[in-house]
Amino acid sequence: LLFGLIEFFRGYVLTGFPWNLLVFSFSNYLEILQALSVVGTYALNLFCITLFISPAIIILRNSKKDVLIGTLFIFTTFFIYFFGTSKIESFQKKPLVKNDHIIRVVSSNIDLNRFYGDQDTFSILSELIELSDPPLDTKTFILWPEGIIPNISQLELIRFKNLFEGKFNNNHLIGLGINNQKNRNNVDKFFNSFSVYDNNIKLLYSYEKVKLVPFGEFLPFENIFELIGLRSLTNNYQSYSAGSKRNIIDLEDNNFSIKILPLICYEIIYSGRLFKNNDFDYIVNISEDGWFGNSIGPYQHYTHSIFRAIENGKYVIRSANNGITAIINPIGVAEKKLSLDQSGYIDFKEKRTVETTLFSKYGNKIFFSMILLYIFIIFSFKRNSK
């Protein structure tokens, strides 16, 4: 119980860092992970802690009841497995519905040196446009990774409009991560934003990242730490500011009948009720995974996307630079995928529909219900032992 609570608070205290909970031991077992759609990551994590302790409860038993409770959790695992198997089979039997549009998800391997002025904006934009290869006769929403274009802000992109002419038309929209600068009360503030442009590079929608990476995107207690030379890693000017709220982007006004919930990079790792209104079609995650270097980090980051897809019963469409780009369906299967070292694109053209999950309705209230259940069991055992 305490271990489960500590893991929960680790995900929330000081902006939180819910990386590698014990439940990630089951990352390759999609049948087990289907329980996420009912109870969510923290509740399943609490169950996993108990499951792994169950053999010790049986071996160190004080009474037959200890054997009973330990065995119960082991058999519950089989129930979860069969539930997951049934859920996967049910999803796969549903008919595929063709979209009236394409979502083209671009993967790139552009070096991190662009953040420090070693690569020019023109060449990187040209590379991204070539990678995207937009079809002129098909409605296509093109998705580029986080912070991919250097030395430019959201409203300055129009300076490169000529690069898009002839290659993009009225059938196209572009979504990408780009810096956004605003002046508030005579103070310049910088935001990590997800922005949507039309083919004329007119800004249509903008979402400012709410969950920032401490020390990566902002410096906690900046006024103190900057005195000793510390600064955030991803921004040469100052810390990013957090956006005020998460919002759904509805592209219907631009001839695209889709609603997306954007999550920028690190935001995908947080379990909970992502948005009060579940009336959206896809979760879009853009990321720059080059900060992980040559490590297991990009694979772990990608795995969090699988957890969010199952929890929310939504397709997760992920575009990553120096990372794994994928279209992940609501049971956690990557229907299309580009690995860490691949550049190019994948197209999302068809889907299967799913119902709203229990967890997406109630979020971590389910975890706290499990906490109450555990407390009840503990007190019941103590009372019986007396």
Side-chain angles (χ1 to χ4, degrees), residues 198-216:
D198 66 10
N199 64 297
N200 294 312
I201 315 303
K202 177 186 175 184
L203 180 65
L204 303 176
Y205 307 95
S206 178
Y207 160 69
E208 293 161 355
K209 188 176 181 182
V210 173
K211 278 280 194 181
L212 300 177
V213 184
F215 297 99

Side-chain angles (χ1 to χ4, degrees), residues 242-306:
S244 57
K245 65 177 181 177
R246 188 167 287 156
N247 54 287
I248 293 170
I249 294 177
D250 186 351
L251 301 178
E252 190 169 358
D253 292 340
N254 293 277
N255 206 26
F256 282 75
S257 56
I258 53 176
K259 298 177 182 178
I260 60 174
L261 180 69
L263 297 176
I264 301 175
C265 191
Y266 190 73
E267 291 183 309
I268 198 74
I269 76 173
Y270 290 95
S271 173
R273 195 175 178 193
L274 295 180
F275 202 77
K276 291 181 180 179
N277 177 10
N278 288 313
D279 183 24
F280 60 91
D281 301 302
Y282 316 120
I283 297 170
V284 167
N285 178 225
I286 56 171
S287 186
E288 168 58 79
D289 283 356
W291 302 105
F292 290 113
N294 184 22
S295 74
I296 200 173
Y299 301 95
Q300 294 172 329
H301 202 193
Y302 162 72
T303 299
H304 280 273
S305 302
I306 293 173

Side-chain angles (χ1 to χ4, degrees), residues 21 52 62 67 93 161 212 245 249 255 321 334 350 367 371 374:
L21 306 170
F52 297 152
N62 291 318
V67 177
K93 288 177 182 177
K161 179 182 174 182
L212 300 177
K245 65 177 181 177
I249 294 177
N255 206 26
N321 185 57
E350 54 188 10
F367 169 68
I371 291 291
Y374 270 54

Side-chain angles (χ1 to χ4, degrees), residues 14-171:
L14 297 176
T15 77
F17 190 63
W19 199 264
N20 278 7
L21 306 170
L22 278 179
V23 68
F24 284 92
S25 303
F26 286 108
S27 293
N28 292 325
Y29 299 91
L30 288 179
E31 294 85 359
I32 298 292
L33 294 187
Q34 299 312 307
L36 294 169
S37 64
V38 180
V39 300
T41 296
Y42 287 111
L44 190 59
N45 186 63
L46 177 60
F47 172 81
C48 287
I49 293 168
T50 315
L51 174 65
F52 297 152
I53 289 172
S54 291
I57 295 174
I58 295 170
I59 293 167
L60 302 174
R61 62 190 178 277
N62 291 318
S63 68
K64 291 181 180 179
K65 290 179 181 177
D66 290 347
V67 177
L68 176 64
I69 199 75
T71 306
L72 176 65
F73 275 97
I74 293 171
F75 274 101
T76 302
T77 307
F78 289 103
F79 171 77
I80 291 172
Y81 182 87
F82 290 123
F83 164 78
T85 302
S86 174
K87 189 170 181 289
I88 291 170
E89 290 177 355
S90 175
F91 177 80
Q92 290 172 338
K93 288 177 182 177
K94 291 182 177 181
L96 281 167
V97 179
K98 193 169 184 179
N99 300 330
D100 66 349
H101 55 269
I102 294 173
I103 299 180
R104 179 157 291 182
V105 194
V106 175
S107 178
S108 54
N109 286 286
I110 298 170
D111 198 273
L112 278 177
N113 285 332
R114 72 187 187 279
F115 284 105
Y116 306 106
D118 292 343
Q119 291 178 289
D120 69 280
T121 307
F122 181 89
S123 63
I124 289 177
L125 259 176
S126 299
E127 180 179 344
L128 286 168
I129 291 170
E130 184 179 349
L131 278 174
S132 302
D133 190 24
L136 297 178
D137 59 347
T138 307
K139 283 196 299 182
T140 309
F141 178 50
I142 296 170
L143 190 64
W144 289 350
E146 174 196 21
I148 194 66
I149 307 171
N151 310 315
I152 197 168
S153 66
Q154 188 184 66
L155 298 178
E156 294 172 333
L157 186 60
I158 198 168
R159 298 200 328 245
F160 295 87
K161 179 182 174 182
N162 62 305
L163 287 176
F164 296 82
E165 291 174 352
K167 297 181 179 179
F168 290 77
N169 61 26
N170 291 333
N171 282 323

Side-chain angles (χ1 to χ4, degrees), residues 214-241:
F215 297 99
E217 292 175 310
F218 79 99
L219 192 64
F221 311 109
E222 186 170 21
N223 293 336
I224 298 172
F225 283 130
E226 69 180 0
L227 295 176
I228 58 174
L230 293 181
R231 62 181 178 86
S232 59
L233 289 174
T234 60
N235 197 330
N236 281 325
Y237 345 97
Q238 63 190 48
S239 290
Y240 284 111
S241 297

